[in-house]
Amino acid sequence: MEPESLYNLLQLPKETSLPALEELPQGEKKKYMLPTSRKDPRFEELQKVLMEWINAELQAEHIVVRSLEEDLFDGLILHHLFQKLAGTRLEVEDIALTAASQRRKLEMVLEAANRSLQVQEPQVKWSVDTVFSKDLLATLHLLVALAKRFQPGLALPSNVQVEVITMESTRNGLKSEKSVEQLTACSTDTDPPSKDVFDELFKLDPEKVNAVKEAIVTFANQKLEPLGLSVQNLDTQFADGVILLLLIGQLGGFFLHLKEFYLTPSSPAEMLHNVTLALGLLRDEGLLDHPVSPEDIVNKDAKSTLRVLYSLFCKHKLQGDTDRTPRAAPE
């Protein structure tokens, strides 16, 4: 392919430099988004929604993303974002100054993300190479996947598509192929976005919120009674994770070994360890429909605590009622 034909295909001015393409080894491929796709309003809206989402998640850490291409490539922000979303800690260096250490950090973060997303190599639309090279398309695929996994209620613009040119270096020169990549799914009028029940609940009269709390406290105390424990204040007594772990064990019919958690936590770090372990157990059972930050539980956030306990209530209390005597569904 002649250079002039290539530049016409990519709709680029002739003075534009494409060093990455010129250095493309034989047998390798590289994707380029067409400028018309970059200017598409839906594509621009998708970037805006994802940036606002990341900034909201990382607000407490004073992290602000202004460009998905320029700010995420080195793994620093992806590191903080994944830890916040997954409620886990990654053993990677906090500050990576050299390109080699940044790449190594990004690789470890993406490995953890891929495990959490349960994606295999043929399915993955991003890689260390593409994200580190500031490939916007690959970065968007990654962020959309994380949003679907951890924030399914996030209102992403539907049916975002981009046109790409895939260039391949062969013995006979460059070969091109034009295609369309789907970033977000199509939506239908018959499938409106679901509302978060807890956001709606906390908009109601406080008496109704308290009624829900009382029902869950009664349920928890019934299960904790054999251990000689009781809950009086739902908002505060679950902050250290101890009663939450014991309740999960009682409901699941198992006991956690004392070496796995702190029975008498004496620091916020130990409390965070307990709560993170508890949330991991709940995620393994598929009980958390919305992401919950362990920091919010430790900080006694009423909505987050109630969300976690309600997930247990729904599975065990309501299921138990169904197994015994048919009852009307609770309001």
Side-chain angles (χ1 to χ4, degrees):
M1 175 181 291
E2 294 297 323
E4 185 172 349
S5 301
L6 171 61
Y7 278 69
N8 289 337
L9 186 63
L10 295 176
Q11 303 173 22
L12 296 172
K14 293 181 180 180
E15 63 270 16
T16 304
S17 175
L18 291 175
L21 187 58
E22 294 163 3
E23 298 169 5
L24 193 64
Q26 185 174 314
E28 292 195 12
K29 298 179 180 180
K30 186 171 178 64
K31 290 180 183 177
Y32 294 90
M33 264 194 299
L34 294 183
T36 49
S37 291
R38 283 181 174 268
K39 296 175 182 177
D40 184 280
R42 284 181 178 271
F43 183 76
E44 293 177 342
E45 177 66 15
L46 176 63
Q47 293 182 77
K48 179 184 176 184
V49 171
L50 289 171
M51 277 194 287
E52 290 177 350
W53 170 56
I54 295 171
N55 290 336
E57 290 289 338
L58 301 181
Q59 182 178 15
E61 300 179 52
H62 306 290
I63 292 175
V64 178
V65 173
R66 293 185 174 86
S67 167
L68 297 180
E69 284 177 286
E70 298 295 331
D71 295 345
L72 272 65
F73 80 97
D74 61 0
L76 175 63
I77 292 176
L78 286 174
H79 173 205
H80 285 271
L81 178 64
F82 180 73
Q83 286 191 150
K84 177 69 162 49
L85 296 175
T88 188
R89 293 290 178 188
L90 300 182
E91 295 300 324
V92 300
E93 53 190 320
D94 288 331
I95 304 297
L97 298 178
T98 66
S101 61
Q102 289 172 345
R103 186 183 178 88
R104 184 168 58 250
K105 176 173 184 170
L106 177 64
E107 183 176 8
M108 296 175 69
V109 173
L110 290 185
E111 284 178 0
N114 290 347
R115 285 195 300 270
S116 179
L117 294 169
Q118 298 181 340
V119 290
Q120 302 297 326
E121 195 61 38
Q123 302 172 280
V124 180
K125 297 179 180 179
W126 56 86
S127 66
V128 176
D129 287 337
T130 53
V131 175
F132 194 71
S133 64
K134 303 180 182 180
D135 184 317
L136 179 58
L137 182 58
T139 302
L140 286 172
H141 275 303
L142 170 62
L143 293 175
V144 169
L146 289 173
K148 288 180 178 178
R149 167 70 175 83
F150 294 105
Q151 192 75 42
L154 187 64
L156 298 175
S158 64
N159 197 28
V160 179
Q161 299 176 326
V162 293
E163 286 187 299
V164 298
I165 299 293
T166 302
M167 307 303 302
E168 181 180 5
S169 177
T170 68
R171 286 187 300 176
N172 299 322
L174 292 172
K175 185 173 70 174
S176 69
E177 180 181 353
K178 192 173 182 180
S179 61
V180 175
E181 286 202 24
Q182 196 83 25
L183 278 164
T184 63
C186 299
S187 65
T188 64
D189 294 334
T190 57
D191 295 322
S194 58
K195 293 182 179 179
D196 178 11
V197 110
F198 286 91
D199 285 340
E200 298 300 312
L201 173 64
F202 275 75
K203 294 176 183 176
L204 301 177
D205 189 289
E207 290 185 3
K208 295 185 178 180
V209 178
N210 289 333
V212 175
K213 288 182 178 180
E214 288 174 10
I216 293 178
V217 165
T218 300
F219 157 73
N221 284 335
Q222 288 173 349
K223 305 303 178 183
L224 293 169
E225 186 178 3
L227 300 179
L229 298 172
S230 66
V231 175
Q232 281 79 43
N233 191 321
L234 180 147
D235 294 343
T236 61
Q237 285 186 261
F238 290 91
D240 63 7
V242 176
I243 292 181
L244 180 58
L245 284 169
L246 294 174
L247 177 60
I248 292 172
Q250 280 290 95
L251 294 170
F254 63 87
F255 286 97
L256 289 170
H257 197 285
L258 290 177
K259 70 178 181 180
E260 294 187 46
F261 70 104
Y262 298 95
L263 188 59
T264 55
S266 57
S267 69
E270 293 179 355
M271 294 165 66
L272 188 63
H273 169 88
N274 286 352
V275 175
T276 300
L277 175 60
L279 295 184
L281 293 172
L282 294 179
R283 274 193 296 272
D284 290 343
E285 292 187 47
L287 294 185
L288 293 180
D289 294 331
H290 287 74
V292 176
S293 165
E295 288 88 351
D296 289 342
I297 304 293
V298 173
N299 292 329
K300 303 175 184 177
D301 179 74
K303 187 190 297 184
S304 297
T305 303
L306 189 58
R307 187 192 298 279
V308 168
L309 294 172
Y310 185 73
S311 70
L312 287 167
F313 178 85
C314 282
K315 178 178 180 180
H316 297 281
K317 176 65 167 68
L318 301 184
Q319 183 183 62
D321 289 344
T322 303
D323 292 342
R324 292 193 296 270
T325 306
R327 298 176 60 183
E331 292 295 333

